Amino acid sequence: MSTLYRRYIDVLNRRDWDCLGDFVALDVVHNDRPFGLAGYRAILEQDVREIPDVRFEIELLTAEPPVEVAARMNQSRTRLRGNAVIPACNARALCCASARRPIA
């Protein structure tokens, strides 16, 4: 599972949106809000337009079979707002994911 998650983060960092379906379900739900794979991709594309140099770095990763994943992430980024560039910064986030069905 940890190898699969690292591959997913690599897809995000490479902006390889066509490969998202290898990691994200067609009917993905976040915080009880269904938005599907197409909606998730649209969110990521918008994020990259606003933060073109965003990069996800895994600091700590734990994966418990069959499907629980928790990761502490570090993001380095420069945010664009209109024509203004907000200075680069690093941000840490704790990301937890749980799949409702096994991932092949």
Side-chain angles (χ1 to χ4, degrees):
M1 182 61 79
S2 61
T3 300
L4 185 67
Y5 191 76
R6 288 178 193 284
R7 286 179 36 223
Y8 164 69
I9 296 301
D10 182 57
V11 163
L12 295 181
N13 285 332
R14 288 185 292 115
R15 289 21 169 190
D16 191 356
W17 310 135
D18 291 335
C19 288
L20 278 177
D22 294 344
F23 305 95
V24 179
L26 290 174
D27 59 350
V28 67
V29 175
H30 180 264
N31 291 337
D32 294 325
R33 192 180 104 217
F35 49 78
L37 178 58
Y40 182 61
R41 178 179 176 154
I43 290 168
L44 292 171
E45 290 172 339
Q46 178 66 33
D47 287 348
V48 169
R49 278 191 296 277
E50 293 177 4
I51 313 167
D53 62 347
V54 67
R55 181 156 178 80
F56 301 92
E57 304 284 340
I58 298 171
E59 289 185 357
L60 179 65
L61 175 64
T62 183
E64 295 296 326
V67 291
E68 300 294 328
V69 176
R72 183 172 64 212
M73 307 290 288
N74 187 35
Q75 297 176 351
S76 57
R77 63 189 190 256
T78 304
R79 188 169 188 88
L80 301 177
R81 211 170 261 159
N83 291 328
V85 175
I86 297 172
C89 66
N90 287 326
R92 282 200 169 118
L94 179 62
C95 305
C96 298
S98 174
R100 294 195 178 136
R101 58 185 174 266
I103 300 171

